[in-house]
Amino acid sequence: MANVLQTSFLPSTSSLRRPSISGSKGKSQSLQVKAKIREIFMPALSSTMTEGKIVSWMKSEGDKLSKGESVVVVESDKADMDVESFHEGFLAAIMVEEGGVAPVGSAIALLAETEDEIAEAKTKSQSSSNSTPQVVEEKPKQIEEAAPDVPAAAAAPSVPVAEAVTLGSAVHPASEGGKRIVASPYAKKLAKELKVDLGTVVGSGPLGRIVAKDVEAAAVAVPVAASPAKPDPVAPGIELGTVVPFTTMQGAVSRNMVESLSVPTFRVGYTITTNALDALYKKIKSKGVTMTALLAKATALALVQHPVVNSCCRDGNSFTYNSSINIAVAVAIDGGLITPVLQDADKVDIYTLSRKWKELVDKARAKQLQPHEYNTGTFTLSNLGMFGVDRFDAILPPGTGAIMAVGASQPSVVASMDGRIGMKNQMQVNVTADHRVIYGADLAAFLQTLAKIVEDPKDLTF
Amino acid sequence: MHSTLSFSRATTVPTTNYAFHSQSPINLRFCGLRREAFGISILTRSSSGRVRLSTRGRSKRISASTGNNGTPPKSFDYDLIIIGAGVGGHGAALHAVEKGLKTAIIEGDVVGGTCVNRGCVPSKALLAVSGRMRELQSEHHMKALGLQVSAAGYDRQGVAGHANNLASKIRSNLTNSMKALGVDILTGFGTIVGPQKVKYGKVGFTDNIVTAKDIIIATGSVPFVPKGIEVDGKTVITSDHALKLEFVPDWIAIVGSGYIGLEFSDVYTALGSEVTFIEALDQLMPGFDPEISKLAQRVLINPRKIDYHTGVFATKITPARDGKPVIIELTDAKTKEHKDTLEVDAALIATGRAPFTNGLGLENINVVTQRGFVPVDERMRVIDANGNLVPHLYCIGDANGKMMLAHAASAQGISVVEQVTGRDHVLNHLSVPAACFTHPEISMVGLTEPQAREKAEKEGFEISVAKTSFKANTKAQAENEGEGLAKLIYRPDNGEILGVHIFGLHAADLIHEASNAIALGTRIQDIKFAVHAHPTLSEVLDELFKSAKVKAPASTSSPISEPVAA
């Protein structure tokens, strides 16, 4: 051990890696001018090393370091090596915790020259890590002008946690009325890793305990559940030629998308004439009814007749027939997407449903959605129609049975059976389903029912 | 054939706070068994042995009744009687027969003791399963080897059955080996009634009295349960219950992070449980060399579904009942203040083992136990309340608390037999290896680095430390198991090995080169010329010895220097 390695400490003059650091103006800039706070970089321990894992910090924050003293143990592809300090000072802030991985050359800690600067360095590390994409997204919402139901191509991962819904609260019966958080060891580990605040997670384990899947589900919406966005004028610009790590939400999306590959899916498309629906929409638009709500309602009513399409396969051995029809609708939000859920969409009337939808979208923007409001969907809708997309297909979110991709309703020339040619508004829908539980005929029948409802929408308004 | 050594299970180093600690240099317990193979090879004698047992049993009773309690009888029924047929008693009995002693062994429960029935043996079966599960579940590992395995699963009943079958197989091997050699197995609980005199019998039957020239106490130990903990055998369990694997809880708290706790955490996490360690000391895995325990924590704890509370006592544990989970009250070890309450599905108490010496009749010979342990000198001779040696009485194994490992008990028993057959012998406990069968394994022999430094300071010599990594070993790399470290603590002036600690693939099997060297007094400058097959894991130790910098030259009388066949 104790290999002396180069490049571990360099004065922090530039911040190559993180585009956003330049945005955290003012304070950190002045600190850099003084050059009293240095960044400790992940050293290159071998020619092939691209990233390193922090095995352990031998010093803790606030410890004094002398030149040549070992600070951190880094694991490379070959061996674990001690990294020594090339400067004297105080270890002010650790930016990559033990077990964390950082690319070669990225800052892993800050070194302050004097004790007084520790606090400053800490602030700096926070501000820089806040603007670092790895950390919880707190960027401002820039999509005010976007429609409330901005659609998303890929459905947001939403893991229905049925138990959580029925319990409906984070209160652990045996945890002194919810004063304490009861979470399993792995759930705690994951929460730390995914930066999820356990206080906001609804437990679905025995006696309401928080287990790993609850944390995973919550991670999807961390930015939502986290503190309200504070105004931070960092422009969400993209610096070309850089590699930007996933945010927590993007990481969760990525995991869910990869997980979806283990599900055997297939697709069935259908063209539905929407003249009647459009007419209805025009009529009741003034009462606050939105197209999203109408589509969700129509889908829910069709699902009532085809419970199998509302089912899912959790263990590979059985159907789980969901007791309620909860329509999740994918919504793009800054830096990711989320699926607010319209619960019991088959039972709630269209006006209430529309109000509920508006409320959910507002909450999503304010990042105040509760877990049961985004992870309890049983069927997902994804609509790209407003962008003129006429057809696409969606990836099935793990834990659900089917997702429907809705394209734009467009005037089309249609030949009718009686030999006449006319103009009709038509939209294409495309359902992706888990073939372990939902078969082709099921989807076909479901789509036929849906088309009937949309083409004769009187049931939508009761 | 079974290999000669197996062993281990182990126990936590009884944590300081929990009642007992012993003065022995390394306070670890293990178990092992020896020489079953030896017994099987002479199976032909078994029937005659059994006949002898019954006839002799009867005649003894007569002679005993004529004897006078309190004074040593003139002629003896046996040369040696061993109370307790665990691994220690078994090892002593086999060696006694080899030395020509007429030997009997008294067992009140099942032959094999803790190790075979409730310890090292069944736990090895569970660990064999957990090791494979872990491997099959490690997608990364499989991918690196180019293997594709679809989801690995297990059948709890099948796993439990494997453990149980292994225990009964080893138990019958042990029984047969003793019968084959003509060791009388006397059934019942043995009590010492006077010098060289033992009474045994089952409850409800008349007692038999037998006499022997020498007596060895080898009654072993039972799981230690601190007060405040209610063991119900279902949700709050000891290793005795856990080895039956009656259920695999979602979340289990393990009280004590020593050998037993660690091994069970390996089993439970491989089978899908999440684990919370509760350790009274400030760091996990006390008793190991600090560097090894640090590395072990990085590999065995941190990446697994395990969290831990250190510096706390589990002062109260209530089993699950009335729809409530197992409730564990944690109290700060220093301030004695209530710190936290845990609600889990099960709790395993692995806080060490307590000697099983009640009812031995020690009061009849004026011996007072210390926290249950029978006081002995370095030759395992029992010391009475006045500090005098009790003639012809010895105590080996967990019951004396010197080193609570099965193979240590066996070695102590052999040492005693050597003494009673006229050859003075003192067992060097520093040459007794210890192992923990996690994945990867941990093993050690001799002193830890802090112990060695303390000794060096006191006695005024210098010590050095050499280390090698499994990452550099070809075989380990071929297995894609490069995680590991071997560490040697030695005297650079004369090349004496003070301690060797290994963490890595098959560490438990690798330690014996070092323990044999310590036992035989082999110096590093000599052992570094020994040849190791390539490529094998043993080269980790080869490299370790070679990397040591010893000032003393190799012995000139090295047997290797003379070519055998030119």
Side-chain angles (χ1 to χ4, degrees), chain B residues 287-303:
Chain B
F288 292 92
D289 184 87
E291 196 169 347
I292 295 289
S293 66
K294 213 170 129 193
L295 179 63
Q297 181 169 338
R298 256 173 49 202
V299 177
L300 301 176
I301 310 274
N302 297 347

Side-chain angles (χ1 to χ4, degrees), chain B residues 423-491:
Chain B
R423 188 174 83 93
D424 189 32
H425 186 267
V426 178
L427 175 68
N428 176 10
H429 283 93
L430 287 175
S431 73
V432 178
C436 183
F437 292 79
T438 44
H439 295 92
E441 297 170 342
I442 311 170
S443 63
M444 60 164 85
V445 64
L447 304 175
T448 63
E449 191 177 332
Q451 285 169 341
R453 292 209 180 277
E454 198 186 319
K455 187 178 177 192
E457 185 134 327
K458 213 179 283 169
E459 298 176 16
F461 59 82
E462 222 184 295
I463 63 163
S464 293
V465 174
K467 284 178 239 173
T468 51
S469 162
F470 278 65
K471 276 194 177 113
N473 182 276
T474 310
K475 189 73 189 305
Q477 287 297 350
E479 301 282 342
N480 197 27
E481 304 264 6
E483 193 89 62
L485 175 79
K487 176 176 175 178
L488 166 70
I489 302 146
Y490 64 102
R491 286 182 64 158

Side-chain angles (χ1 to χ4, degrees), chain B residues 329-369:
Chain B
E329 300 287 339
L330 297 182
T331 304
D332 192 286
K334 292 196 186 74
T335 64
K336 307 289 174 210
E337 278 165 13
H338 176 262
K339 208 165 168 197
D340 206 348
T341 304
L342 299 182
E343 290 144 28
V344 295
D345 300 318
L348 168 66
I349 313 306
T351 44
R353 297 187 62 87
F356 180 60
T357 52
N358 272 349
L360 254 179
L362 293 170
E363 63 284 355
N364 298 334
I365 42 166
N366 192 28
V367 171
V368 179
T369 60

